[in-house]
Amino acid sequence: MHFQAFGLCVGLLFISVNAEFMDDGVEMEDFGENPEKIEANEGEPSSEIKYRTPQPIGEVYFAETFDSGRLTGWVLSKAKKDDIDAEISIYDGRWEIEELKANQVPGDRGLVLKSRAKHHAISAILVKPFIFADKPLIVQYEVNFQDGIDCGGAYIKLLADTDDLILENFYDKTSYTIMFGPDTCGEDYKLHFIFRHKHPKTGVFEEKHAKLPDVDLKKFFTDRKTHLYTLVMNPNDTFEVLVDQTVVNKGSLLEDVVPPINPPKEIEDPTDKKPDEWDERAKIPDPSAVKPEDWDESEPAQIEDSSAVKPNGWLDDEPKYIPNPHAEKPSDWNEDMDGEWEAPQIPNPACRIGCGEWKRPMIDNPKYKGVWRPPLIDNPSYQGIWSPRKIPNPDYFEDDHPFLLTSFRALGLELWTMTSDIYFDNFIICSEKEIADRWAADGWRWKVMVADANEPGAFKQLMAAAQESPWLWLVYLVTAGVPIALMTLFCWPRKVKKKYEDSEYKKSDLCKPQSKGALEQEVKEEKSVLEKPTDLEEEKKQSDGEILEKEEEGEPEEKSEEEIEILEAQAEGDKSNKSGSEDEMKEADESTGSGDGPTKSVRKRRVRKD
């Protein structure tokens, strides 16, 4: 039974460790209502994936997979940035259509930003402009920072539908409606959602930034995996931002953007000025306070310690530093050019205790009080902190439906980065979330499957880390050994020692010698029992008789080897003490002769047994 318990504990330990190694920590999301094609190929290795270029279904404003290998419909910018040097103002960054560097899906390609420390700009016209009315806006695309990212962005711009929109002139100041996507520099990781809202009175556009996401975005920039970025804007003035089909940010266009959509109803009057007599002092010196007569402001803050004594051995005439006697003038020293050579100074070795003029140390002056100032009291004329008066905001408006933004008709990437090989793929703009989910299932889903299939398990990762850092083997040994030792300690079967403890208890009774005084005491106790009433004697006789019958009728108890050895040793000891003990027994028996027969026989039996 104990070995079964031990086996169960070891089995549980093995199962827990095995589960830890087998779990890759990847959660697969629901990618639409039609997963038949994916399930049919899920068991195939990555090299045999039957990838097919995703085809948009339903009403789609823009869709691009780059699987054709051609930049059909995309226009490279020929513009220049303003207010910077001409050499770096041009958009000469290079774009290519390539497969992923790692975890390629055969047949799948993407748009890759190839240059570093250069400006890039490329754009494409939508199938038809998107007009904000009564349909949601879904914008979705993939990004992979194949070489990581130090400083740069991978966001997109939805270019406003204006009369002056020319894709060849696309640059940083081109009017846009929405900017969305990842951006970082250093340890500042962002996921932009910015839209430009038009002031209905002034006609000026103002950028509105969505609140920051509540999750840590760092892993999406550093793990070198392909991530899916999705923006959902609803006609009810709400928005959602998703990464890998998981919501990371959501809110209201009215309440969760900075600055707010609607300006304040009142503003401070810019012409209002604080009056000269306005008193903002909350506390003032007490005008009725008088400096005490004994207040001495002439006392210094510190004085010399009069109790200090110059240490013995202090050398007043010795300098603290002397020229180094071992220093030699360099051979190339030119006094005409370098001046007269002087040996470098070193601490004077004679000044072990001190050198130079000795001065007493300074201590705090107990008589010091400083400059007297009257205490502060509440200002009876205090009027509070002055602020300009409020006036109605002349530019106030109330937009209850900010979803109605300026329509857009092009998608563009205008980027600068210090890291190359940023991978973009599978752009789609539509009005139905189901279409975007199906698009992800047909495209991004395959990249996730291949990456998961090629990713080493936890055990392989631990082994690879140990090969690079051999000291990790000790960490692994301790980490694995401690749980096993604890499980063994608590689950190992323990021997039942009760039988041996009982036998040793009996052995100790057998080996314990009886003295003459102990026998006399025992005789006295038996006499007191015999003097009790007859009914008690009969009960005792009856109980003693039952015990004797059980001892006579019972089978002899099997003795262990240890008990046999103890009995043999006891027998040898009894021979040496036989004469004395028999005489004592006889005296005890004679003293109990006044009792009846059964009682006497009981005594004899017990003597023989002992």
Side-chain angles (χ1 to χ4, degrees):
M1 185 67 184
H2 299 292
F3 289 102
Q4 293 177 355
F6 174 70
L8 177 61
C9 292
V10 174
L12 292 173
L13 176 62
F14 175 78
I15 292 172
S16 62
V17 174
N18 188 45
E20 181 69 19
F21 286 144
M22 293 299 292
D23 184 12
D24 289 335
V26 178
E27 276 189 6
M28 304 308 294
E29 303 287 343
D30 184 9
F31 290 93
E33 301 176 355
N34 189 17
E36 289 82 1
K37 183 176 71 173
I38 296 171
E39 294 177 355
N41 297 323
E42 253 181 8
E44 299 179 8
S46 60
S47 59
E48 300 178 3
I49 285 181
K50 303 292 191 302
Y51 170 79
R52 290 182 296 179
T53 299
Q55 299 297 326
I57 299 174
E59 184 181 14
V60 174
Y61 297 88
F62 183 81
E64 179 61 79
T65 64
F66 304 103
D67 289 348
S68 65
R70 299 184 301 272
L71 283 173
T72 304
W74 290 84
V75 179
L76 293 173
S77 176
K78 298 179 181 179
K80 295 182 179 181
K81 298 193 73 170
D82 297 335
D83 305 326
I84 60 174
D85 295 339
E87 296 180 356
I88 61 174
S89 64
I90 59 176
Y91 287 90
D92 57 348
R94 188 163 56 93
W95 300 87
E96 296 289 346
I97 296 179
E98 298 175 349
E99 292 184 346
L100 284 166
K101 288 184 176 181
N103 303 318
Q104 300 94 346
V105 178
D108 181 40
R109 297 180 179 89
L111 179 65
V112 182
L113 182 151
K114 298 296 294 181
S115 308
R116 61 184 302 271
K118 288 183 177 294
H119 296 286
H120 303 72
I122 192 171
S123 57
I125 293 291
L126 274 59
V127 175
K128 59 180 179 179
F130 182 89
I131 299 175
F132 292 88
D134 55 356
K135 293 182 180 180
L137 169 65
I138 315 294
V139 181
Q140 182 171 281
Y141 69 106
E142 303 169 14
V143 176
N144 188 322
F145 297 103
Q146 300 183 95
D147 294 337
I149 185 72
D150 296 325
C151 187
Y155 47 81
I156 64 174
K157 291 182 177 180
L158 303 180
L159 306 182
D161 185 10
T162 59
D163 296 335
D164 59 347
L165 177 60
I166 301 175
L167 298 188
E168 289 184 351
N169 297 333
F170 173 42
Y171 73 132
D172 59 325
K173 295 182 180 179
T174 299
S175 179
Y176 70 90
T177 300
I178 292 174
M179 189 174 105
F180 169 66
D183 186 19
T184 183
C185 198
E187 292 295 320
D188 186 14
Y189 302 99
K190 298 178 181 179
L191 181 52
H192 292 299
F193 168 40
I194 305 170
F195 60 91
R196 298 176 75 240
H197 182 265
K198 185 177 180 180
H199 196 292
K201 289 188 175 182
T202 63
V204 177
F205 284 90
E206 185 178 23
E207 290 185 351
K208 308 294 183 179
H209 296 249
K211 66 177 183 178
L212 298 176
D214 297 331
V215 300
D216 184 10
L217 301 173
K218 182 177 180 178
K219 62 179 180 180
F220 303 123
F221 294 84
T222 58
D223 61 5
R224 304 192 181 189
K225 293 182 179 180
T226 304
H227 294 288
L228 185 71
Y229 295 89
T230 307
L231 169 65
V232 179
M233 293 182 65
N234 299 306
N236 62 354
D237 301 305
T238 61
F239 70 90
E240 287 184 341
V241 176
L242 302 90
V243 180
D244 297 343
Q245 297 194 327
T246 299
V247 176
V248 299
N249 195 8
K250 63 180 180 179
S252 168
L253 299 177
L254 285 166
E255 300 174 358
D256 298 311
V257 297
V258 179
I261 292 292
N262 297 318
K265 293 183 179 181
E266 292 184 334
I267 60 172
E268 294 181 350
D269 186 359
T271 63
D272 191 16
K273 295 182 179 180
K274 183 175 69 173
D276 296 336
E277 67 276 5
W278 189 276
D279 194 347
E280 291 183 332
R281 298 174 301 165
K283 297 282 186 178
I284 59 173
D286 185 359
S288 61
V290 179
K291 183 174 71 172
E293 295 180 357
D294 58 348
W295 191 280
D296 188 359
E297 296 182 351
S298 62
E299 288 288 342
Q302 287 191 324
I303 58 175
E304 292 184 351
D305 185 3
S306 58
S307 62
V309 179
K310 182 171 70 173
N312 294 329
W314 188 279
L315 304 177
D316 295 302
D317 299 329
E318 286 287 338
K320 293 182 180 180
Y321 295 93
I322 61 173
N324 186 356
H326 303 292
E328 296 181 358
K329 183 173 68 173
S331 58
D332 58 349
W333 187 273
N334 189 334
E335 294 188 355
D336 293 335
M337 298 180 60
D338 302 326
E340 183 181 358
W341 181 82
E342 295 180 358
Q345 298 285 315
I346 62 172
N348 189 346
C351 299
R352 293 188 300 271
I353 298 175
C355 293
E357 181 183 0
W358 181 81
K359 295 181 179 180
R360 288 187 175 89
M362 303 296 290
I363 61 173
D364 292 337
N365 184 0
K367 299 180 180 180
Y368 172 74
K369 293 185 178 181
V371 178
W372 180 85
R373 292 183 177 86
L376 296 178
I377 61 172
D378 293 336
N379 183 4
S381 303
Y382 176 66
Q383 295 176 273
I385 303 300
W386 182 87
S387 61
R389 63 175 177 267
K390 298 288 186 178
I391 61 173
N393 185 356
D395 296 329
Y396 173 76
F397 66 91
E398 189 171 354
D399 185 355
D400 296 331
H401 198 22
F403 175 76
L404 302 178
L405 301 174
T406 304
S407 60
F408 61 88
R409 63 183 175 97
L411 180 148
L413 291 88
E414 189 268 319
L415 304 169
W416 182 91
T417 176
M418 289 300 295
T419 307
S420 60
D421 289 324
I422 301 176
Y423 178 93
F424 300 86
D425 200 5
N426 294 332
F427 291 93
I428 189 170
I429 300 175
C430 58
S431 293
E432 298 180 22
K433 188 65 164 56
E434 293 76 11
I435 295 176
D437 290 343
R438 179 59 182 268
W439 182 262
D442 292 342
W444 173 71
R445 164 75 169 186
W446 293 101
K447 296 182 178 70
V448 174
M449 291 175 57
V450 172
D452 291 345
N454 295 336
E455 185 175 359
F459 183 77
K460 291 183 180 179
Q461 293 179 8
L462 292 175
M463 295 303 102
Q467 290 179 359
E468 296 179 0
S469 304
W471 58 270
L472 287 175
W473 288 111
L474 179 60
V475 177
Y476 297 163
L477 180 62
V478 174
T479 304
V482 170
I484 294 175
L486 293 176
M487 295 292 290
T488 303
L489 178 63
F490 288 104
C491 298
W492 190 269
R494 300 180 180 178
K495 296 181 180 180
V496 180
K497 299 183 179 180
K498 183 177 181 181
K499 180 177 179 181
Y500 299 102
E501 292 174 355
D502 293 341
S503 64
E504 289 185 7
Y505 175 78
K506 294 177 181 178
K507 294 171 192 173
S508 62
D509 290 343
L510 290 172
C511 298
K512 182 178 179 180
Q514 290 183 342
S515 62
K516 183 175 180 180
L519 291 173
E520 291 177 355
Q521 180 66 26
E522 189 175 351
V523 169
K524 291 179 181 180
E525 291 176 359
E526 290 181 355
K527 285 182 178 181
S528 62
V529 171
L530 293 174
E531 293 174 359
K532 290 183 179 181
T534 306
D535 54 349
L536 296 177
E537 292 180 0
E538 291 178 357
E539 290 178 3
K540 179 174 178 58
K541 291 176 183 178
Q542 185 177 359
S543 61
D544 290 342
E546 291 175 358
I547 294 173
L548 291 173
E549 289 176 359
K550 289 181 180 180
E551 290 180 355
E552 293 175 355
E553 293 176 2
E555 295 180 3
E557 183 181 0
E558 294 182 2
K559 297 180 174 56
S560 63
E561 294 180 1
E562 295 179 0
E563 291 177 340
I564 293 172
E565 292 176 1
I566 293 172
L567 290 175
E568 290 177 357
Q570 182 64 28
E572 293 178 0
D574 290 340
K575 290 179 181 179
S576 61
N577 299 328
K578 184 175 181 181
S579 59
S581 62
E582 286 180 354
D583 295 338
E584 293 174 357
M585 294 300 179
K586 288 179 182 180
E587 293 176 3
D589 290 342
E590 290 174 0
S591 64
T592 57
S594 59
D596 52 3
T599 305
K600 189 174 183 179
S601 64
V602 170
R603 179 58 187 165
K604 290 180 179 180
R605 286 179 184 272
R606 204 166 81 188
V607 169
R608 283 199 299 273
K609 183 176 180 181
D610 293 340

